[in-house]
Amino acid sequence: MSHDLRICFVGDSFTAGAGDETALGYVGRITAAAWGRGVATTSYNLGIRRDTSADIRRRAEAEVLARLLAASGDTHAVVFCFGANDVTFEDGMPRVPLEATLDNAAAMLGWSAARWTTLMLGPPPALHDAGHDARTAALSPELAAVAAAVQAPFLPLHGPLSANGAWRHGAAKGDGIHPDSAGYAAMAALIEAWEPWRRLTGG
């Protein structure tokens, strides 16, 4: 093995792999692929269903530090993926207003990027609800701009996954939001082809 890599994946149900009958999600798949390239990778899945950016901001620092501070000598990284729950409507309003979402993103990405390699995945589509999906699509470039400000690479997922048959089919036969194993495999393939991820994991 060329080097040891410890990565915290911080996010919501998509990070947790909700809906995947193989229990791998995208995190398990890209971790296995990194091992296949000779990188001994420890992945910490810090995804919690229904978490908004505000929820994640409250817990991210403590959870990440607990896992990366003790890992002296290894390469460390953090991958964020959130936003889909922020734009979910409750009582006629988004759970988190846009300005607050962007403030939360700036705080978390800035804190992490100052310490470790930090990547951000854009929120995946929410195909069950056209309004929700439109809000998710609009949020993605806003989050990309926040990531760019702290030089954290950003991978937009909404467009590619919206057009991906495996994702669409998997979500449709499930709860309309979360895909099955084939959908997560499609998400993992996008990450695997992404240069910042390949650079981090020896690709």
Side-chain angles (χ1 to χ4, degrees), residues 39-100:
V39 181
T41 305
T42 300
S43 290
Y44 299 102
N45 192 317
L46 305 178
I48 296 180
R49 293 190 73 158
R50 293 198 84 250
D51 260 17
T52 65
S53 64
D55 299 319
I56 295 167
R57 183 177 180 178
R58 281 191 287 269
R59 64 183 174 85
E61 184 171 334
E63 292 186 3
V64 171
L65 287 175
R67 288 156 179 84
L68 297 188
L69 272 188
S72 59
D74 288 345
T75 301
H76 304 155
V78 182
V79 178
F80 289 95
C81 182
F82 56 79
N85 290 315
D86 290 45
V87 298
T88 299
F89 267 30
E90 288 185 351
D91 300 322
M93 297 289 290
R95 290 181 64 198
V96 180
L98 175 60
E99 287 186 9

Side-chain angles (χ1 to χ4, degrees), residues 80-82 120-124 140 143 154-158 187:
F80 289 95
C81 182
F82 56 79
M120 182 160 191
L121 310 175
S140 187
L143 290 173
F154 182 92
L155 176 64
L157 292 175
H158 183 275
M187 181 175 177

